[in-house]
Every structure is written in structure tokens, then in C-alpha cells.
Amino acid sequence: MAGGGEDQTRSQGRAGRAITWPPRGAVRADADDVGESGSAFLVEKIRSWVAAEAGPGRLLPWVPVAFGTGIAIYFAADREPVASVAVATAFALCVAAFVARRSRIFPFVVMLAASSAGFATAALKTARVAHDVLARPMFSVTMKGFVETRDERERTDRFVLRVEEMESPRGGIKLERVRLSVKKGTAPAVGSFVELKARLLPPLSPLRPGSYDFGRDLYFAGIGASGFAMGAIKTVEAPRSGGTYLRYAAAMQGMRDAIDARIRSVLSGDNRAIATALLTGRRDAISAPVNDAMFISGLGHVLSISGYHMAVVAGVVFFAVRALLALFPALTVTFPIKKWSAVAALAAAAFYLLLSGAEVATQRSFFMTAVVLIAVMVDRRAITFRTLAVAAMIVLLIAPEALVHPSFQMSFAATLGLVALIQIGMPNLFASPDNSQVARAALWGGREITMLALASLVAGFATMPYAAFHFHRVTPYGVLANLAAMPVVSILVMPAGLLGLLAMPFGFDGVFWRLMDVGIGWMVAVSQWVAALPGAVGQIASFGTGPLAAMSAGIIALGLLRTPLRWTGAGLIALATVWALTAPQPDILIAGDGHSVAVRRKDGKLRLMRTGKDAFLSREWLAADADMRTATDASLADGVSCDTSGCVVQAADGSIIALTLRPEAFADDCARAAVIVTLRQPPSDCAAMVLDQETLRRRGTLALRKTADGYTITANRPPGVDRPWSPANVDDEPDAPAVRSNRPAQPVDTTPAESDLQPDD
């Protein structure tokens, strides 16, 4: 019975298995079905996530992103677009977006229209500020004009002159504004009409291909040249009024000077310069060691009036006014004192904006603060992605060129990270107030410390890509410095500064400047201590705009997306990080004036051949190469052989690179060197690659990278590039204009010389 039962069970089992298991082909078919169903499920999930991200109320934060993308595309163009065509295209796409507002393609059309609008806005702004840009140096130029701005710096002062009359040996040249340096303490007053002689130089071009374009900043500021004054500056009678703006600028400058004078009467040195910077925005007088320590420690943002300062000013005024009004019960019960306080805070923020010079970062901060305060006035939620989106759109509409400025990039990246932290994560961190441990920690300030540390960490990570791209360094101890210094700045320094401003008319401001001095001294001590820690400076070699764009897209995706699609942002950041860290560096760098050449040797470090003392250029080249050496380091000349005829150095591949100074050196250099850099006329039969004065004049700073076929050259001004702030090359003919003009050509006298007339004319 037992055996028979067992056999029967086995038989049923075999039969069951025979019936249950399908043939091999059927197994493969089922597996394929499972795979197809899995992929279909994933596709459906992604569609649902995309639909959720494109749902009602979710598109607004992406509009400034698309708008900024259009601006970025504009600045990437090789030649200046036709503004009228850009505007017409943007208008047509906006109409298309309105027509498609109930269609499924509406989100796509809106983003396309916003991008086109950003492109058109940048083109219109460039056309509106169009002015002449100096192309070649000019000596002993006589000018008359109004002084519009004045800056006090550590060693020299600087001012911007709005040119009314200009005389030079070349004649016919007219610049609208120039920026001039003078001996410290000799800058003329804002609003005065002066006469002077000056040496003018073209705006500074990028120090290496792909680096920051200083000339573009000057162009959008209306400045066509920089230089320095020669001799005495005479104040003369103006032929006409300088206008309303000049009177406003003179009044604000007078107010800043008065504040600085009162602070100077109590404080001195860097503490005085920092106090003035916090209240008026004039930070150029801070000494280089303290300035470097502030940025290395991660406290450099304190020196630039931005969101933090504006928030402190508005917050102090808001809560002070509300507290004072709350002392009167009749007002509290009858009137909306919270809204009144918001109005007072907005007025204080607007005054602070004007007093500090209204730089881009300050504008962004003011608009962000204004949107928050207006939301309080109309009983709406204040800190949201919509608030940030509105502030970004206002700034980009007014100053589209701000998009490519590090201040805008770092400011909005940090704000995006903090708003995302508040919207997504911050409320959940302290969701258990009844817990005894949480309550005990909060009693001792643990909650505030944790929030400050988390905010510093998020803001630091968000701004790190831009600091690495523009300044080639990161601040690993930034959280530590912010934890130690920012509470003192928030509680003592800024409130004391505001009280000092209020007490100035009554003569009781001295005590508040001394309180500022105590807090600033602590902040400087913290910055110097952190900057001296091992590994306080993290050097990052330069990388292109591609990795930066990918990082920016990743940060935006992490901040704005709400579904699991946000983790694509983390993937983009990881990809961009690898891309940036593996970016190849040039083997040879050649300055646009031909006086400095950097060559990479076998140890991977640069060596410098220099005929001048351009320490700024050398410092920037070393920083972009993640090289910790200073511009005066003796090792920069290791392996470099120089004499009166020139210099030579051996590159990493063993080839010789020569900097030829005299014609008699060409015989040896042409025979032995692979690359020759010279400002002399080389022989026509020279076997080496020659980069002469004409090439450098036309292409600017060059970066060479060794390849199997020779060298690939990347130039500051590649062939075919022609933008208003970086004009196409001007021929060195005697009658060629010294400026690149954006105005219509002036009438030319067409009368031929009598000696050129033919008998039949």
C-alpha cells in the first residue's frame, strides 16, 4: 500500500509537472511577455511622472529656466543675431503657445516660446546699449566729461567718465564711457565735470580661451575702454547739465561717502573696509590677504550684498516695526499690522538697494525679497518656487547679461537649493516637537544650529560648480566657517549697522560702529583660522561650459522636479563631475601680447617664459591649472633657458618651444624648435610653427594641445566670431578706425584728387 501510494504520488507529480511546465519555446515566449510588460510598466510610469510634472501650476518655475536657456544660446552665437528677426520669432511662438493652451503640446510650445523670448530679450538689450569699443591702445588722449561713479580700492582709486569731448592724434574717435584708474585719494567727485589726459586700452579680453570675459561686462556697462589718467585732473565748468541720473548718482555717492567717513572716524583697516562694504557695497578697499581668507573659508558671500543681507535688513525692519505696533492693542485688533510691517520692510529693502549700488546680486535679492513681502501683503504663501521664478524673470528681463555672471549663477543656485529644502525636506526634519529629546535639543539651540548647518551645506553644494568654473577652487570647510561666523553676523553685525545708520543723524552712531567692529573682528578671525586649516583650498582645473551646463541642468532637475524623475538630476551631476575632472588641459598657453608663454613639462606642471611682469595673468593661468604655486615661485622657471635673444624650454614630449626676442635668434630657433612665439618678423622659410604678432593680434590668447598630427589651437577670438564686445579683427592699416562702431558709417568725401583724374573724366 505504501509503495503503491508512493508510486501513485510520483506518477501524479510527474503528470502534474508534465501538465504545469510548458514547452521550452513557450517558456521563452512567457519571459518575453514579462519583459515587455515590465518595460511597458516602466514607460507608463515615466509618462505618468512627466504628466505630473507638466500638470497645472507646475510649469511656471520652468519658464525662467527656458528663458535663461534662450539667453545662453544668444551668448553662444558666433555673430550678432538680427534683433528684429529674433523678436518676430518670439512673438510668433508666444501666439502659438496661446493658441495651443488647451492642447497636449502646450508645455512644449510654452518652453519653446520662453526660450525664444529670452534670446530676443538679450538681442534687444545688446542693441539698446550699442556703443563703440576701443580696438587698439591710445596714448595721451585729451577728454572732458562727467564723473558717473567712483570706487576706492586698496592701492588706487577708479572712476567712470561719461565722455563729452575727446581729442586724440587719430581724430574722429568717440567713446561714450571710459573707466580710469588714478592715484589713491585723487579721484574726482561724482557729478563733477573734468578735463584730463589719459592712456586708453581696449577692454580686458579673457585671460585664456573659454575663461571669463571681462570685456563683455564692460560693454553692457556702457564702457568702451579702460586705462589710467596722466597728470592732473582739472575740474572745469560743464557746458550743460549732467541730467537727473547724474544728480541721483552724486547724491547716493555723497551718502556713501558720509557713511564711510563716520565709520572711518571709529574703525580702521580691514574692519572699516568690511563695515563699509556691508552697508554701501564698496568692497574694493579690503586688503588682499583678508579678502582671500574670506573666500577660501567660504565667507566671501558676506562681502557681496546679496540675498542674505537683504533678508537680514528686511527681516530686522519687519519684526521691529511689528513689535512696536504690537505694543498698542488698539492697532493690533483693528489694523493689519503684519502688512504694515511688510510695507516698511519693503521700503527699507529698496533704500538698501539704492545705497549699495544696485548690483546684479543685490537686484536679484531685492526682487526676491519684494515678492516675498508682497505675498505677505496679499495673504499668499511667501517662500515658493513661484517666488523664485518671478524674481528670476524680473532680473533676466532687466539684465539678461546677468545670466553669464558668476554672481547670478551662484545666487540663484543657492536660493533654489534652499527653497527646495524648505519645500521638500526641511518641514519633515522637525516634525516631532513633542519628543522630549527634540524639545531638549531645541531648547539649547540645536534646531537652529542644525538648520543653519543644513542650509550652509545645501547652498555650498549648489554653488560649488560655479565657484569651481569661475574661480577654480572649492571651499571644503565652508559649513564650519558659516556655523562659526554667520550667527554673529546676523545677530550683531548687521543689526548694529542698521542701528548705526538710523543713529547717524542724531550723532549717536559711534557705539554701533564699535559693536560692528567686534562682530567683524570675530568673522575675520574665523575666516583666517579656517583658511589656515590643512586642505582649506581645493583647487579645480578649468573645464568647459559643457560640464557646467550639465551640472546646472542637474541642479535644476533636483530642485524643481517633484516625482522620482528628479534623480535624473543626480545622474547629470555625476556625469558632469566626471566630465569636468577629466577635461584635458592645454600643453602651451600664449598671452595675446606675446610677452608670456606657459609650457607643460614632463612632470605635468607649467613653466613660464616671460618678458614682462604680468603677475595677474600668471596667477590666473596657475589657478586654472589647479596649481598651488604663486606667480613669483622660482620653480616656474625650472628648465627655462633665457638670454637677450629669447627663451627656450622643453615640452612634455621633448620638443622645444621658443620665445624669440631678436631676429638673429631665428636661425637656431627655426632649426631646433617645434613652436616659435615672437613679435618679430620671422623668415619665410622657417620650419617651425610660428605664432607671430599678427596671429596673436587677430586671435588673442592661444591654447595649444599636442596631437598626433601636431597641435590643435584654441583661440580667444576664433575665425568667424564677431560680437559687439569682441569685434572681428581690425586691419592694421594707417587709416583703419581704432574702434569698432555699431553706428551707421559717417559720410565720406568722394572728391578724387586732381592728379588722379583721367583725360576723359
Side-chain angles (χ1 to χ4, degrees):
M1 288 292 295
E6 185 179 351
D7 293 341
Q8 185 178 2
T9 302
R10 289 176 180 173
S11 175
Q12 289 175 351
R14 284 192 297 270
R17 283 195 293 271
I19 295 171
T20 302
W21 289 97
R24 294 181 181 271
V27 171
R28 286 195 296 270
D30 288 348
D32 292 341
D33 291 342
V34 172
E36 290 177 3
S37 63
S39 61
F41 174 78
L42 180 60
V43 169
E44 189 60 32
K45 268 292 184 184
I46 293 175
R47 286 179 178 174
S48 66
W49 293 337
V50 172
E53 296 292 353
R58 293 293 303 142
L59 288 180
L60 180 59
W62 289 96
V63 171
V65 175
F67 193 86
T69 301
I71 296 174
I73 294 172
Y74 165 83
F75 282 109
D78 289 338
R79 292 184 173 271
E80 190 62 23
V82 181
S84 58
V85 175
V87 171
T89 303
F91 179 78
L93 287 172
C94 289
V95 172
F98 177 78
V99 172
R101 64 189 183 279
R102 303 186 187 281
S103 172
R104 296 180 62 182
I105 64 171
F106 175 68
F108 172 76
V109 180
V110 165
M111 295 300 106
L112 191 61
S115 179
S116 179
F119 188 95
T121 300
L124 285 175
K125 177 63 180 290
T126 302
R128 185 172 67 82
V129 302
H131 60 87
D132 298 342
V133 177
L134 189 68
R136 298 194 304 275
M138 297 175 61
F139 303 89
S140 190
V141 182
T142 302
M143 292 182 291
K144 294 182 180 180
F146 292 99
V147 179
E148 287 193 336
T149 65
R150 186 186 68 194
D151 296 320
E152 293 184 9
R153 302 191 295 171
E154 184 184 6
R155 297 182 179 178
T156 61
D157 291 345
R158 191 165 60 188
F159 67 94
V160 172
L161 184 73
R162 189 175 75 197
V163 180
E164 297 292 325
E165 299 178 21
M166 181 174 175
E167 299 177 4
S168 72
R170 294 175 188 169
I173 299 171
K174 180 65 169 67
L175 299 172
E176 291 186 4
R177 288 178 179 83
V178 296
R179 190 177 68 184
L180 301 174
S181 296
V182 294
K183 186 192 303 182
K184 190 166 181 61
T186 62
V190 173
S192 59
F193 189 82
V194 298
E195 179 181 0
L196 54 85
K197 284 189 175 183
R199 177 182 178 181
L200 299 181
L201 303 171
L204 183 63
S205 60
L207 298 176
R208 54 178 282 163
S211 66
Y212 192 73
D213 194 342
F214 301 94
R216 182 178 56 208
D217 281 355
L218 292 182
Y219 180 83
F220 282 98
I223 299 173
S226 60
F228 55 89
M230 302 169 62
I233 299 177
K234 302 177 183 178
T235 301
V236 297
E237 184 178 354
R240 61 181 181 84
S241 171
T244 304
Y245 172 77
L246 196 62
R247 288 194 292 271
Y248 153 77
M252 297 308 299
Q253 186 66 39
M255 191 176 299
R256 296 186 195 105
D257 290 342
I259 294 171
D260 185 45
R262 295 296 287 267
I263 295 175
R264 191 189 298 269
S265 66
V266 179
L267 308 183
S268 61
D270 287 308
N271 285 17
R272 190 273 303 175
I274 292 175
T276 300
L278 293 177
L279 297 178
T280 67
R282 291 163 32 173
R283 58 183 183 272
D284 290 329
I286 302 171
S287 67
V290 171
N291 193 66
D292 290 342
M294 293 289 289
F295 279 94
I296 290 172
S297 64
L299 292 174
H301 64 91
V302 178
L303 303 179
S304 175
I305 295 178
S306 57
Y308 165 75
H309 306 77
M310 196 66 69
V312 170
V313 169
V316 168
V317 173
F318 178 85
F319 289 111
V321 172
R322 192 175 183 185
L324 289 174
L325 294 176
L327 296 176
F328 303 94
L331 293 178
T332 305
V333 174
T334 310
F335 300 100
I337 63 172
K338 182 179 179 181
K339 297 181 181 180
W340 289 6
S341 303
V343 173
L346 183 59
F351 174 75
Y352 191 42
L353 171 73
L354 299 177
L355 180 65
S356 61
E359 293 185 354
V360 171
T362 318
Q363 291 179 25
R364 192 277 311 166
S365 308
F366 171 75
F367 292 132
M368 183 75 180
T369 304
V371 172
V372 170
L373 293 172
I374 292 172
V376 172
M377 297 177 199
V378 297
D379 297 319
R380 297 294 296 270
R381 190 178 178 186
I383 303 177
T384 64
F385 289 123
R386 291 189 176 192
T387 306
L388 181 62
V390 172
M393 282 299 299
I394 293 174
V395 173
L396 291 177
L397 281 169
I398 295 174
E401 70 276 9
L403 181 81
V404 294
H405 197 278
S407 174
F408 176 92
Q409 296 167 1
M410 298 178 72
S411 182
F412 268 99
T415 307
L416 174 62
L418 294 176
V419 174
L421 185 64
I422 293 172
Q423 294 281 311
I424 301 171
M426 185 74 81
N428 299 326
L429 295 177
F430 310 102
S432 304
D434 296 332
N435 185 286
S436 60
Q437 295 180 352
V438 173
R440 194 176 297 115
L443 246 146
W444 289 96
R447 181 171 184 241
E448 285 71 21
I449 293 175
T450 304
M451 291 175 65
L452 179 59
L454 191 58
S456 299
L457 192 64
V458 170
F461 275 120
T463 57
M464 188 180 297
Y466 308 100
F469 179 81
H470 293 288
F471 310 117
H472 314 296
R473 62 187 179 192
V474 294
T475 55
Y477 301 134
V479 174
L480 179 62
N482 279 275
L483 280 176
M486 294 313 294
V488 175
V489 177
S490 303
I491 297 171
L492 179 61
V493 175
M494 289 301 296
L498 293 178
L499 292 173
L501 291 178
L502 292 175
M504 271 185 61
F506 307 99
F508 295 102
D509 51 312
V511 62
F512 299 110
W513 306 140
R514 292 186 182 92
L515 289 175
M516 284 192 78
D517 188 34
V518 173
I520 292 172
W522 169 258
M523 181 180 67
V524 171
V526 168
S527 68
Q528 291 175 334
W529 171 66
V530 172
L533 292 175
V537 183
Q539 294 290 125
I540 302 293
S542 65
F543 52 89
T545 55
L548 185 69
M551 288 182 186
S552 300
I555 292 172
I556 292 171
L558 272 177
L560 293 185
L561 295 178
R562 305 298 294 271
T563 65
L565 287 175
R566 76 162 64 122
W567 299 113
T568 58
L572 281 172
I573 293 175
L575 175 65
T577 301
V578 175
W579 188 1
L581 294 177
T582 57
Q585 299 303 311
D587 296 303
I588 303 173
L589 285 167
I590 304 170
D593 59 5
H595 293 301
S596 298
V597 179
V599 180
R600 194 175 306 280
R601 292 198 27 113
K602 290 183 179 180
D603 60 359
K605 293 187 176 182
L606 295 175
R607 302 295 190 274
L608 291 181
M609 297 185 290
R610 294 178 284 191
T611 60
K613 296 181 179 180
D614 194 344
F616 179 63
L617 174 69
S618 303
R619 185 168 63 248
E620 290 300 312
W621 279 1
L622 293 172
D625 206 54
D627 195 326
M628 299 290 291
R629 292 176 294 175
T630 64
T632 58
D633 196 305
S635 65
L636 291 172
D638 289 349
V640 178
S641 299
C642 291
D643 56 23
T644 57
S645 297
C647 300
V648 294
V649 66
Q650 193 174 47
D653 62 348
S655 60
I656 300 297
I657 312 300
L659 175 60
T660 305
L661 303 179
R662 293 188 176 182
E664 55 266 24
F666 280 119
D668 286 341
D669 291 345
C670 287
R672 300 173 56 190
V675 177
I676 295 176
V677 180
T678 184
L679 299 180
R680 302 289 184 176
Q681 181 63 39
S684 58
D685 59 347
C686 187
M689 174 191 287
V690 179
L691 302 172
D692 57 8
Q693 185 176 18
E694 176 68 14
T695 301
L696 296 175
R697 184 188 64 79
R698 289 181 173 275
R699 299 292 169 249
T701 302
L702 303 178
L704 281 67
R705 188 171 294 113
K706 181 67 175 177
T707 64
D709 300 327
Y711 288 94
T712 59
I713 301 178
T714 305
N716 261 349
R717 295 190 295 272
V721 173
D722 183 15
R723 304 306 299 270
W725 54 88
S726 180
N729 303 299
V730 179
D731 293 332
D732 281 337
E733 298 296 333
D735 58 347
V739 298
R740 173 56 180 262
S741 176
N742 294 292
R743 299 189 182 93
Q746 297 296 319
V748 178
D749 184 4
T750 60
T751 306
E754 187 174 352
S755 59
D756 293 334
L757 294 176
Q758 302 297 318
D760 57 344
D761 288 336

